[in-house]
Amino acid sequence: MPSGQPSPPTTGGPPTSATANAVLGLLSFGRELSGYDLKKWADHSLQLFFWSPAMSQIYTELQRLESLGLVTSRLEEKADARPRRLYAITDDGRTWLSHWLASEPVDLPMLKNAMVLRVWLGDLMDPDTLTAMVREHRDRLQARLERTREDRRTITGWASMAHAEVVIRWAERYYAAEVENSDLLLEDLAALETPG
Amino acid sequence: MPSGQPSPPTTGGPPTSATANAVLGLLSFGRELSGYDLKKWADHSLQLFFWSPAMSQIYTELQRLESLGLVTSRLEEKADARPRRLYAITDDGRTWLSHWLASEPVDLPMLKNAMVLRVWLGDLMDPDTLTAMVREHRDRLQARLERTREDRRTITGWASMAHAEVVIRWAERYYAAEVENSDLLLEDLAALETPG
């Protein structure tokens, strides 16, 4: 493996795709993970504030990152199960990721909220259909909030996960505020239907 | 212009692209708008909860929507200025948009927060750089909150904008919660640096 600062690889496409960095980020916590582990963990972490790549995207990215020397893998053989491939980040991968984190501009959050889009165009919708959509949306945010609370209880106090814990606390407040905001939105919509 | 329910157009690509629907949505409020007006209004409305298409995308979409009969345009001549093209939604455009709003599944919001991603990977970053990034991010959210407050004061009470007003009230609460959440995140990061 080449040592020192890797120059930005120029073959196989740019490694700065969001999926590549997501995979490297998940591996940077230091454990060996299978593609399945990566997907599962992405669903409980990245999903809350970024996005969880599809399983097929993860496998494609792992192969590409390995060919670039940013990730390494080994086959784990077990007597009682099918062998599985485990991936780990290399020193070059870690250096690359640190470089990307410090140099890439931090844009304002990109938010695409299809529910709010519908409220905005509410004149074109049946009021009851709209209210039902907002209620369903609110309940899904509530479900996500509850799962986030459970996940926080799981990782609280793991020293190696200090930054992940700070983020999950952020996510818990974020989804709690989203639920509250949806409730107030429902009140505003009800008031539109009964003008005083 | 054909009357009645338009069948989903099959030429010129699908009209359900996010940009196409954004442009139709902006025109659905009933005014004739130029491409420049559309961009300006998108920056003050759609931007808060979805995303604001680029000017070039808006012009491309307007041409396509016009060829599909969902939008119509006329050249406005003025004695003291260059003529400009004004666009309006057609009945078919309105029907199409209503159909899309009621039939498209409402996904959970897609959130890509590059700042939180950095906190999550904070072990790979210099703590002072990370704190400075979060502070800058917090200040940009605060600026957006203040602009949203001004915009709300502008449209409050316009009967034709009742749903847009409900959304801007939602956005004001959303960005206020984001600023507060960033402040608490900064406290958590400071606590990581001074373990008790």
Side-chain angles (χ1 to χ4, degrees), chain A residues 117-118 120-121 124-125, chain B residues 6 15 20-29 70 89-103:
Chain A
L117 179 70
R118 275 166 182 77
W120 187 62
L121 299 173
L124 294 171
M125 292 191 73
Chain B
N21 286 311
V23 167
L24 281 177
L26 289 161
L27 290 171
S28 76
F29 285 86
L70 305 179
I89 194 168
T90 63
D91 288 344
D92 277 1
R94 202 175 285 274
T95 306
W96 169 260
L97 189 60
S98 301
H99 168 77
W100 178 79
L101 286 169
S103 62

mmCIF file of all heavy atoms in Angstrom, chain A residues 117-118 120-121 124-125, chain B residues 6 15 20-29 70 89-103:
data_model
loop_
_atom_site.group_PDB
_atom_site.id
_atom_site.type_symbol
_atom_site.label_atom_id
_atom_site.label_comp_id
_atom_site.label_asym_id
_atom_site.label_seq_id
_atom_site.Cartn_x
_atom_site.Cartn_y
_atom_site.Cartn_z
ATOM 1 N N LEU A 117 -44.568 20.672 0.279
ATOM 2 C CA LEU A 117 -44.880 21.060 -1.103
ATOM 3 C C LEU A 117 -46.384 20.944 -1.363
ATOM 4 O O LEU A 117 -46.993 21.819 -1.991
ATOM 5 C CB LEU A 117 -44.107 20.175 -2.082
ATOM 6 C CG LEU A 117 -44.349 20.437 -3.575
ATOM 7 C CD1 LEU A 117 -43.748 21.777 -3.995
ATOM 8 C CD2 LEU A 117 -43.764 19.322 -4.440
ATOM 9 N N ARG A 118 -46.995 19.877 -0.852
ATOM 10 C CA ARG A 118 -48.434 19.700 -1.054
ATOM 11 C C ARG A 118 -49.261 20.750 -0.319
ATOM 12 O O ARG A 118 -50.251 21.244 -0.838
ATOM 13 C CB ARG A 118 -48.855 18.286 -0.643
ATOM 14 C CG ARG A 118 -48.626 17.334 -1.797
ATOM 15 C CD ARG A 118 -48.686 15.907 -1.424
ATOM 16 N NE ARG A 118 -48.406 15.114 -2.611
ATOM 17 C CZ ARG A 118 -47.192 14.932 -3.125
ATOM 18 N NH1 ARG A 118 -46.150 15.497 -2.573
ATOM 19 N NH2 ARG A 118 -47.038 14.208 -4.207
ATOM 20 N N TRP A 120 -48.288 23.734 0.344
ATOM 21 C CA TRP A 120 -48.050 24.982 -0.389
ATOM 22 C C TRP A 120 -48.994 25.089 -1.587
ATOM 23 O O TRP A 120 -49.485 26.169 -1.917
ATOM 24 C CB TRP A 120 -46.580 24.987 -0.829
ATOM 25 C CG TRP A 120 -46.086 26.243 -1.454
ATOM 26 C CD1 TRP A 120 -46.008 27.474 -0.880
ATOM 27 C CD2 TRP A 120 -45.561 26.385 -2.772
ATOM 28 N NE1 TRP A 120 -45.465 28.370 -1.760
ATOM 29 C CE2 TRP A 120 -45.185 27.729 -2.925
ATOM 30 C CE3 TRP A 120 -45.365 25.497 -3.837
ATOM 31 C CZ2 TRP A 120 -44.621 28.214 -4.100
ATOM 32 C CZ3 TRP A 120 -44.805 25.984 -5.000
ATOM 33 C CH2 TRP A 120 -44.435 27.327 -5.131
ATOM 34 N N LEU A 121 -49.261 23.944 -2.229
ATOM 35 C CA LEU A 121 -50.168 23.911 -3.382
ATOM 36 C C LEU A 121 -51.558 23.430 -2.960
ATOM 37 O O LEU A 121 -52.301 22.843 -3.754
ATOM 38 C CB LEU A 121 -49.578 23.010 -4.472
ATOM 39 C CG LEU A 121 -48.218 23.471 -5.021
ATOM 40 C CD1 LEU A 121 -47.630 22.444 -5.972
ATOM 41 C CD2 LEU A 121 -48.357 24.828 -5.719
ATOM 42 N N LEU A 124 -55.002 23.403 -4.800
ATOM 43 C CA LEU A 124 -55.276 22.426 -5.860
ATOM 44 C C LEU A 124 -55.690 21.075 -5.292
ATOM 45 O O LEU A 124 -55.885 20.123 -6.041
ATOM 46 C CB LEU A 124 -54.017 22.225 -6.723
ATOM 47 C CG LEU A 124 -53.539 23.418 -7.539
ATOM 48 C CD1 LEU A 124 -52.176 23.117 -8.160
ATOM 49 C CD2 LEU A 124 -54.541 23.763 -8.630
ATOM 50 N N MET A 125 -55.816 20.994 -3.965
ATOM 51 C CA MET A 125 -56.104 19.694 -3.355
ATOM 52 C C MET A 125 -57.401 19.720 -2.565
ATOM 53 O O MET A 125 -57.818 20.756 -2.064
ATOM 54 C CB MET A 125 -54.950 19.284 -2.438
ATOM 55 C CG MET A 125 -53.674 18.970 -3.208
ATOM 56 S SD MET A 125 -52.441 18.200 -2.142
ATOM 57 C CE MET A 125 -53.145 16.564 -1.925
ATOM 58 N N PRO B 6 -56.249 15.845 -19.271
ATOM 59 C CA PRO B 6 -55.218 15.463 -20.235
ATOM 60 C C PRO B 6 -54.656 14.103 -19.856
ATOM 61 O O PRO B 6 -54.501 13.811 -18.686
ATOM 62 C CB PRO B 6 -54.159 16.545 -20.063
ATOM 63 C CG PRO B 6 -54.319 17.027 -18.663
ATOM 64 C CD PRO B 6 -55.761 16.775 -18.265
ATOM 65 N N PRO B 15 -43.309 14.791 -17.778
ATOM 66 C CA PRO B 15 -43.462 16.127 -17.217
ATOM 67 C C PRO B 15 -43.449 16.103 -15.697
ATOM 68 O O PRO B 15 -43.699 17.096 -15.074
ATOM 69 C CB PRO B 15 -44.835 16.554 -17.733
ATOM 70 C CG PRO B 15 -45.579 15.283 -17.845
ATOM 71 C CD PRO B 15 -44.578 14.186 -18.124
ATOM 72 N N ALA B 20 -40.202 20.525 -13.416
ATOM 73 C CA ALA B 20 -41.453 20.797 -14.128
ATOM 74 C C ALA B 20 -42.570 21.100 -13.129
ATOM 75 O O ALA B 20 -43.317 22.068 -13.279
ATOM 76 C CB ALA B 20 -41.832 19.601 -14.996
ATOM 77 N N ASN B 21 -42.669 20.285 -12.097
ATOM 78 C CA ASN B 21 -43.729 20.494 -11.128
ATOM 79 C C ASN B 21 -43.511 21.750 -10.290
ATOM 80 O O ASN B 21 -44.464 22.414 -9.891
ATOM 81 C CB ASN B 21 -43.871 19.263 -10.239
ATOM 82 C CG ASN B 21 -44.532 18.126 -10.995
ATOM 83 O OD1 ASN B 21 -45.566 18.317 -11.622
ATOM 84 N ND2 ASN B 21 -43.912 16.960 -10.972
ATOM 85 N N ALA B 22 -42.246 22.072 -10.034
ATOM 86 C CA ALA B 22 -41.948 23.312 -9.309
ATOM 87 C C ALA B 22 -42.423 24.516 -10.117
ATOM 88 O O ALA B 22 -43.078 25.425 -9.598
ATOM 89 C CB ALA B 22 -40.450 23.409 -9.032
ATOM 90 N N VAL B 23 -42.108 24.518 -11.414
ATOM 91 C CA VAL B 23 -42.498 25.639 -12.282
ATOM 92 C C VAL B 23 -44.027 25.723 -12.393
ATOM 93 O O VAL B 23 -44.613 26.806 -12.254
ATOM 94 C CB VAL B 23 -41.837 25.485 -13.675
ATOM 95 C CG1 VAL B 23 -42.448 26.437 -14.678
ATOM 96 C CG2 VAL B 23 -40.325 25.705 -13.573
ATOM 97 N N LEU B 24 -44.672 24.582 -12.611
ATOM 98 C CA LEU B 24 -46.138 24.576 -12.678
ATOM 99 C C LEU B 24 -46.732 25.065 -11.356
ATOM 100 O O LEU B 24 -47.705 25.819 -11.328
ATOM 101 C CB LEU B 24 -46.662 23.172 -12.984
ATOM 102 C CG LEU B 24 -46.595 22.694 -14.428
ATOM 103 C CD1 LEU B 24 -47.087 21.252 -14.534
ATOM 104 C CD2 LEU B 24 -47.423 23.599 -15.357
ATOM 105 N N GLY B 25 -46.139 24.629 -10.243
ATOM 106 C CA GLY B 25 -46.623 25.035 -8.924
ATOM 107 C C GLY B 25 -46.539 26.536 -8.734
ATOM 108 O O GLY B 25 -47.488 27.180 -8.268
ATOM 109 N N LEU B 26 -45.428 27.126 -9.121
ATOM 110 C CA LEU B 26 -45.260 28.576 -8.982
ATOM 111 C C LEU B 26 -46.289 29.314 -9.835
ATOM 112 O O LEU B 26 -46.835 30.343 -9.425
ATOM 113 C CB LEU B 26 -43.840 28.989 -9.395
ATOM 114 C CG LEU B 26 -42.716 28.573 -8.439
ATOM 115 C CD1 LEU B 26 -41.358 28.615 -9.141
ATOM 116 C CD2 LEU B 26 -42.691 29.464 -7.195
ATOM 117 N N LEU B 27 -46.564 28.779 -11.032
ATOM 118 C CA LEU B 27 -47.546 29.438 -11.917
ATOM 119 C C LEU B 27 -48.975 29.181 -11.464
ATOM 120 O O LEU B 27 -49.883 29.940 -11.831
ATOM 121 C CB LEU B 27 -47.358 28.945 -13.361
ATOM 122 C CG LEU B 27 -46.078 29.426 -14.062
ATOM 123 C CD1 LEU B 27 -45.899 28.702 -15.395
ATOM 124 C CD2 LEU B 27 -46.108 30.945 -14.285
ATOM 125 N N SER B 28 -49.185 28.124 -10.663
ATOM 126 C CA SER B 28 -50.554 27.775 -10.277
ATOM 127 C C SER B 28 -51.185 28.825 -9.361
ATOM 128 O O SER B 28 -52.399 28.831 -9.175
ATOM 129 C CB SER B 28 -50.596 26.399 -9.600
ATOM 130 O OG SER B 28 -50.120 26.484 -8.271
ATOM 131 N N PHE B 29 -50.356 29.721 -8.787
ATOM 132 C CA PHE B 29 -50.927 30.772 -7.946
ATOM 133 C C PHE B 29 -51.658 31.822 -8.780
ATOM 134 O O PHE B 29 -52.305 32.706 -8.246
ATOM 135 C CB PHE B 29 -49.842 31.401 -7.066
ATOM 136 C CG PHE B 29 -49.436 30.504 -5.916
ATOM 137 C CD1 PHE B 29 -48.470 29.528 -6.084
ATOM 138 C CD2 PHE B 29 -50.054 30.612 -4.673
ATOM 139 C CE1 PHE B 29 -48.112 28.686 -5.033
ATOM 140 C CE2 PHE B 29 -49.704 29.780 -3.618
ATOM 141 C CZ PHE B 29 -48.739 28.813 -3.803
ATOM 142 N N LEU B 70 -49.083 22.633 -21.300
ATOM 143 C CA LEU B 70 -49.359 22.818 -19.869
ATOM 144 C C LEU B 70 -49.117 24.265 -19.429
ATOM 145 O O LEU B 70 -49.551 24.679 -18.361
ATOM 146 C CB LEU B 70 -48.510 21.844 -19.031
ATOM 147 C CG LEU B 70 -48.650 20.354 -19.403
ATOM 148 C CD1 LEU B 70 -47.743 19.487 -18.538
ATOM 149 C CD2 LEU B 70 -50.094 19.890 -19.291
ATOM 150 N N ILE B 89 -50.050 29.287 -16.487
ATOM 151 C CA ILE B 89 -50.440 27.884 -16.494
ATOM 152 C C ILE B 89 -51.748 27.751 -17.276
ATOM 153 O O ILE B 89 -52.597 28.646 -17.250
ATOM 154 C CB ILE B 89 -50.587 27.356 -15.041
ATOM 155 C CG1 ILE B 89 -50.656 25.825 -15.003
ATOM 156 C CG2 ILE B 89 -51.769 27.987 -14.324
ATOM 157 C CD1 ILE B 89 -50.506 25.242 -13.582
ATOM 158 N N THR B 90 -51.917 26.670 -18.018
ATOM 159 C CA THR B 90 -53.175 26.419 -18.738
ATOM 160 C C THR B 90 -54.089 25.542 -17.874
ATOM 161 O O THR B 90 -53.653 25.011 -16.846
ATOM 162 C CB THR B 90 -52.916 25.687 -20.069
ATOM 163 O OG1 THR B 90 -52.354 24.400 -19.766
ATOM 164 C CG2 THR B 90 -51.962 26.463 -20.965
ATOM 165 N N ASP B 91 -55.336 25.376 -18.290
ATOM 166 C CA ASP B 91 -56.236 24.475 -17.558
ATOM 167 C C ASP B 91 -55.663 23.061 -17.524
ATOM 168 O O ASP B 91 -55.726 22.374 -16.506
ATOM 169 C CB ASP B 91 -57.625 24.446 -18.213
ATOM 170 C CG ASP B 91 -58.372 25.749 -17.977
ATOM 171 O OD1 ASP B 91 -57.963 26.526 -17.082
ATOM 172 O OD2 ASP B 91 -59.365 26.006 -18.687
ATOM 173 N N ASP B 92 -55.092 22.635 -18.659
ATOM 174 C CA ASP B 92 -54.472 21.302 -18.694
ATOM 175 C C ASP B 92 -53.312 21.216 -17.697
ATOM 176 O O ASP B 92 -53.118 20.183 -17.055
ATOM 177 C CB ASP B 92 -53.943 20.992 -20.107
ATOM 178 C CG ASP B 92 -55.058 20.456 -21.004
ATOM 179 O OD1 ASP B 92 -56.205 20.363 -20.533
ATOM 180 O OD2 ASP B 92 -54.762 20.134 -22.171
ATOM 181 N N GLY B 93 -52.556 22.300 -17.592
ATOM 182 C CA GLY B 93 -51.434 22.314 -16.652
ATOM 183 C C GLY B 93 -51.920 22.164 -15.222
ATOM 184 O O GLY B 93 -51.354 21.415 -14.424
ATOM 185 N N ARG B 94 -52.988 22.885 -14.905
ATOM 186 C CA ARG B 94 -53.553 22.829 -13.559
ATOM 187 C C ARG B 94 -54.088 21.425 -13.259
ATOM 188 O O ARG B 94 -53.865 20.881 -12.174
ATOM 189 C CB ARG B 94 -54.683 23.865 -13.463
ATOM 190 C CG ARG B 94 -55.026 24.313 -12.082
ATOM 191 C CD ARG B 94 -56.066 25.425 -12.138
ATOM 192 N NE ARG B 94 -55.479 26.693 -12.558
ATOM 193 C CZ ARG B 94 -54.895 27.549 -11.696
ATOM 194 N NH1 ARG B 94 -54.835 27.261 -10.423
ATOM 195 N NH2 ARG B 94 -54.371 28.675 -12.129
ATOM 196 N N THR B 95 -54.776 20.834 -14.249
ATOM 197 C CA THR B 95 -55.319 19.483 -14.066
ATOM 198 C C THR B 95 -54.184 18.483 -13.859
ATOM 199 O O THR B 95 -54.242 17.620 -12.991
ATOM 200 C CB THR B 95 -56.144 19.072 -15.310
ATOM 201 O OG1 THR B 95 -57.131 20.083 -15.538
ATOM 202 C CG2 THR B 95 -56.828 17.740 -15.099
ATOM 203 N N TRP B 96 -53.140 18.637 -14.685
ATOM 204 C CA TRP B 96 -52.008 17.734 -14.558
ATOM 205 C C TRP B 96 -51.386 17.815 -13.162
ATOM 206 O O TRP B 96 -51.108 16.805 -12.504
ATOM 207 C CB TRP B 96 -50.943 18.036 -15.618
ATOM 208 C CG TRP B 96 -49.697 17.293 -15.289
ATOM 209 C CD1 TRP B 96 -48.585 17.772 -14.676
ATOM 210 C CD2 TRP B 96 -49.490 15.889 -15.445
ATOM 211 N NE1 TRP B 96 -47.690 16.769 -14.452
ATOM 212 C CE2 TRP B 96 -48.213 15.596 -14.911
ATOM 213 C CE3 TRP B 96 -50.251 14.858 -15.989
ATOM 214 C CZ2 TRP B 96 -47.693 14.305 -14.903
ATOM 215 C CZ3 TRP B 96 -49.734 13.573 -15.980
ATOM 216 C CH2 TRP B 96 -48.477 13.312 -15.450
ATOM 217 N N LEU B 97 -51.206 19.042 -12.687
ATOM 218 C CA LEU B 97 -50.547 19.245 -11.397
ATOM 219 C C LEU B 97 -51.395 18.671 -10.254
ATOM 220 O O LEU B 97 -50.876 18.002 -9.358
ATOM 221 C CB LEU B 97 -50.284 20.742 -11.184
ATOM 222 C CG LEU B 97 -49.422 21.120 -9.990
ATOM 223 C CD1 LEU B 97 -48.031 20.494 -10.066
ATOM 224 C CD2 LEU B 97 -49.294 22.650 -9.891
ATOM 225 N N SER B 98 -52.721 18.918 -10.315
ATOM 226 C CA SER B 98 -53.616 18.366 -9.287
ATOM 227 C C SER B 98 -53.521 16.848 -9.255
ATOM 228 O O SER B 98 -53.479 16.230 -8.185
ATOM 229 C CB SER B 98 -55.082 18.725 -9.569
ATOM 230 O OG SER B 98 -55.245 20.104 -9.603
ATOM 231 N N HIS B 99 -53.503 16.268 -10.448
ATOM 232 C CA HIS B 99 -53.399 14.816 -10.562
ATOM 233 C C HIS B 99 -52.108 14.323 -9.920
ATOM 234 O O HIS B 99 -52.096 13.363 -9.144
ATOM 235 C CB HIS B 99 -53.458 14.438 -12.047
ATOM 236 C CG HIS B 99 -53.090 13.020 -12.316
ATOM 237 N ND1 HIS B 99 -53.949 11.975 -12.073
ATOM 238 C CD2 HIS B 99 -51.941 12.475 -12.798
ATOM 239 C CE1 HIS B 99 -53.337 10.840 -12.384
ATOM 240 N NE2 HIS B 99 -52.136 11.106 -12.830
ATOM 241 N N TRP B 100 -51.013 14.994 -10.226
ATOM 242 C CA TRP B 100 -49.709 14.589 -9.688
ATOM 243 C C TRP B 100 -49.688 14.706 -8.156
ATOM 244 O O TRP B 100 -49.223 13.804 -7.454
ATOM 245 C CB TRP B 100 -48.599 15.450 -10.297
ATOM 246 C CG TRP B 100 -47.244 15.114 -9.757
ATOM 247 C CD1 TRP B 100 -46.461 14.066 -10.119
ATOM 248 C CD2 TRP B 100 -46.542 15.805 -8.727
ATOM 249 N NE1 TRP B 100 -45.295 14.072 -9.377
ATOM 250 C CE2 TRP B 100 -45.314 15.120 -8.521
ATOM 251 C CE3 TRP B 100 -46.818 16.951 -7.968
ATOM 252 C CZ2 TRP B 100 -44.378 15.534 -7.586
ATOM 253 C CZ3 TRP B 100 -45.879 17.355 -7.027
ATOM 254 C CH2 TRP B 100 -44.676 16.657 -6.842
ATOM 255 N N LEU B 101 -50.231 15.826 -7.639
ATOM 256 C CA LEU B 101 -50.224 16.056 -6.183
ATOM 257 C C LEU B 101 -50.979 14.970 -5.442
ATOM 258 O O LEU B 101 -50.599 14.565 -4.348
ATOM 259 C CB LEU B 101 -50.848 17.412 -5.860
ATOM 260 C CG LEU B 101 -50.007 18.638 -6.189
ATOM 261 C CD1 LEU B 101 -50.851 19.896 -6.083
ATOM 262 C CD2 LEU B 101 -48.805 18.727 -5.255
ATOM 263 N N ALA B 102 -52.088 14.509 -6.038
ATOM 264 C CA ALA B 102 -52.936 13.536 -5.346
ATOM 265 C C ALA B 102 -52.440 12.104 -5.529
ATOM 266 O O ALA B 102 -52.751 11.232 -4.726
ATOM 267 C CB ALA B 102 -54.375 13.654 -5.841
ATOM 268 N N SER B 103 -51.629 11.862 -6.565
ATOM 269 C CA SER B 103 -51.284 10.469 -6.876
ATOM 270 C C SER B 103 -49.860 10.087 -6.491
ATOM 271 O O SER B 103 -49.585 8.920 -6.227
ATOM 272 C CB SER B 103 -51.484 10.203 -8.370
ATOM 273 O OG SER B 103 -50.629 11.026 -9.123
#
